[in-house]
Amino acid sequence: MSCEIRHKGVCGALSAEELLMLSAHTRLVNYQSGDELAGEKMPAESYATVIRGVVKLTKRLEDGRQQIVGLQFAPDLLGRLNANENAVSVEAASDVNLCRIPKAALERMVKSNTALAERLMAQALRELDEARDWMVTLGRKTAAEKVASFLLLIATHLDPETVGEKRRFELPLSRADIADFLGLTVETVSRQLSKLKTDGVISIVANRHIEVPKLSKLKACCGS
């Protein structure tokens, strides 16, 4: 199996022989924005490494209300190890490329490969830390700080190999989804984006294309 994020994702912990064995089971799949990748409480049948794009994780209440509870980027692994059913719904927030791995195949390798188990544990702990940080964002930050924090999240995770102060990216979420993710109204999100643009923190082209001239200036707006 060969891909541009192999050395950073799950496969980076595997030997050449293990990679060859795994490649017999994996398949590369493409999804369009809005496609459902896995349903909440449905049987977990496979894992997947994000090769490109953004995936959103959602929870649904009994009355139909939905909450976005997380975003995942390359080279994150989708799926909770050894779980029999999906704890969240998984949807493509943008066009997404995934490498799907059968559940049994990956779990066999985890039992025999300490480096792989440690890598998956490290991802789980990183996601826990990020979830705690996001709790602070949602619970304590102002609307302006929430929107700036969201933009910083996308700017630093969408292409983590990018260096320097400048960032350019397409927003992977609609303004309605951003509002849902941040616990704000659509009008508040639009107003805060406009203010960041007026203040020279960002440029907005064609509604969803964002340019950040100085990442440090955006960070200063995040309240942390």
Side-chain angles (χ1 to χ4, degrees), residues 144-145 147-149 151-152 155 164-167 195-203 211-224:
E145 291 167 344
V147 173
S149 296
L151 293 177
L152 183 65
E165 282 279 277
K166 292 184 179 180
R167 294 290 191 279
K195 186 175 186 306
L196 288 169
K197 179 181 178 181
T198 300
D199 292 344
V201 179
I202 63 171
S203 297
E211 296 185 4
V212 182
K214 292 191 69 174
L215 202 61
S216 58
K217 192 171 182 180
L218 178 60
K219 287 180 180 177
C221 299
C222 294
S224 59

Side-chain angles (χ1 to χ4, degrees), residues 33 93-94 169-175 177 204-210:
S33 177
S94 65
F169 54 89
E170 293 286 335
L171 282 174
L173 301 183
S174 67
R175 296 197 181 191
D177 274 347
I204 304 175
V205 182
N207 198 42
R208 294 183 70 159
H209 181 81
I210 303 294

Side-chain angles (χ1 to χ4, degrees), residues 71-101:
L71 300 175
Q72 290 195 282
F73 308 82
D76 289 342
L77 182 76
L78 302 177
R80 180 181 294 176
L81 199 63
N82 298 317
N84 292 320
E85 67 177 28
N86 301 314
V88 295
S89 292
V90 185
E91 182 181 316
S94 65
D95 291 346
V96 170
N97 306 132
L98 300 181
C99 179
R100 284 208 174 272
I101 309 167

Side-chain angles (χ1 to χ4, degrees), residues 11-28:
C11 295
L14 303 180
S15 66
E17 182 180 356
E18 288 170 326
L19 281 171
L20 187 61
M21 291 172 56
L22 189 62
S23 65
H25 303 285
T26 58
R27 60 191 180 95
L28 296 174

